[in-house]
Amino acid sequence: MSRILKKPEVLAPAGNLEKLKIAIRYGADAVYIGGQAFGLRSRAGNFSFEEMKLGIAFAHDHNAKVYVAANMVAHAGDTEGAGEFFRTLRDIGIDAVIVSDPALISICFQDAPGLPVHLSTQASATNYKTLEFWKKQGLERVVLAREVSMQEIQEIGEKTDVEMEAFIHGAMCISYSGRCTLSNHMANRDANRGGCAQSCRWKYDLFEIDNGISKNLVDEDEEPFSMSAVDLSMIKYIPDMVNAGVDSLKIEGRMKSIHYVSTVASVYRRAVDAYCEDPENYVFDPAWEDELWKVAQRELSTGFFYKEPTEDEQLFGKTRKIPQYAFAAQVLEYDEETKIATLQQRNNFGVGEEIEFYGPGDTGFKQVVEVLWNEDGVEIDRAPNAMMTIKMPVDKPVKPFYFMRKKK
């Protein structure tokens, strides 16, 4: 089946209501959240139904959508209450639910007809016949397995009209499609039911036993062994994703900060818009990748899209690149006459430091902090207290929900 080139959705994570609003303000067409049951992020700031209602209202007012991840692998007894859960999601206006377990999918169709279902990446959809199978079951979108190559995506796009969603940025699980039991054995926490302890990212010594003698293969001056994968980033390859027919470009990170969510959503928004508005004259802007490095937690790669990952895509040995910025403050108000901004502190910073402001659709600017006042108008050298209100003069106009970061 041939596909018409269309602008894909930028889909951002939202671990709580604040992150939902920030993601949408910074360019996301849709967000995915977790409820208080049936998801894989039990430690995220998961939404109550009342919070979902607030999030849906905000999203729909801004022409954005909200999806709920209910992608756990259900064991005996885990499906209890699922029908009521899905019905409530439908009735409060959730745009779709993301599910991997066939039992939960069946319950959703039976008890909440009319609620669109998307297949989670946990289900490992890797070929077009799989997408056609799920289409016959009533699903309208499939989140592709992270192990799918770009060539396979192109083939899938040519042979089916099922909507395709693919991860383009964020953490990568070291196991196949996230199906891992390492956390179960190491910490008695089930990764497939929302309790992953990320045991793969722990630091380990590596031993060899020879003739009954145990020898540590990790030298004292080397980093301990880790099974951790580097992060995914497809910012350089947005044209390939669009041309392959991917309908939704998914950013990982419901546990990440608003600094991360705002930056990554904004960067991919700019790249997608630039390509789709003028494909023939599109030029990748290196500043986009530089921007992503300001919030990156690990090194970046293209995952499985163009080759089988090697040891170079694994975090082992000395770090090859380290992010240089930390989230410092959020703009609350700005006085155009005095050119003074009121900020809410999010990280310690002080006079003499170089900082950077950025906002929705604004690439930002840098300046040096010259003077600070606390909420009582007293001049201070530093803003050391979390969430404290401060004022400072800024070189250019800023707006509420602009963010400030500083070099580490």
Side-chain angles (χ1 to χ4, degrees), residues 227-245:
M227 290 169 276
S228 181
V230 301
D231 284 0
L232 173 69
S233 177
M234 288 293 288
I235 189 60
K236 291 182 178 180
Y237 305 97
I238 293 302
D240 289 355
M241 302 298 290
V242 176
N243 293 329

Side-chain angles (χ1 to χ4, degrees), residues 91-120:
D91 294 345
I92 64 176
I94 287 295
D95 294 286
V97 62
I98 306 167
V99 190
S100 64
D101 192 291
L104 290 174
I105 292 173
S106 177
I107 291 170
C108 186
F109 282 130
Q110 176 180 320
D111 291 6
L115 176 61
V117 179
H118 298 171
L119 187 71
S120 169

Side-chain angles (χ1 to χ4, degrees), residues 72-91:
M72 69 180 293
V73 175
H75 289 229
D78 287 342
T79 60
E80 184 176 347
E84 182 179 357
F85 178 78
F86 289 132
R87 278 197 305 274
T88 303
L89 296 184
R90 179 198 63 189
D91 294 345

Side-chain angles (χ1 to χ4, degrees), residues 28 42 91 162 206 299 310:
S42 61
D91 294 345
V162 180
L206 186 63
E299 296 170 45
T310 67

Side-chain angles (χ1 to χ4, degrees), residues 294-329:
K294 294 175 181 178
V295 295
Q297 292 187 324
R298 306 176 187 94
E299 296 170 45
L300 304 174
S301 80
T302 55
F304 288 81
F305 284 116
Y306 299 103
K307 66 173 185 176
E308 290 289 324
T310 67
E311 66 275 10
D312 291 333
E313 284 72 51
Q314 187 172 350
L315 286 178
F316 181 58
K318 294 182 179 180
T319 303
R320 283 156 276 180
K321 191 169 183 177
I322 301 173
Q324 300 293 321
Y325 283 81
F327 181 28

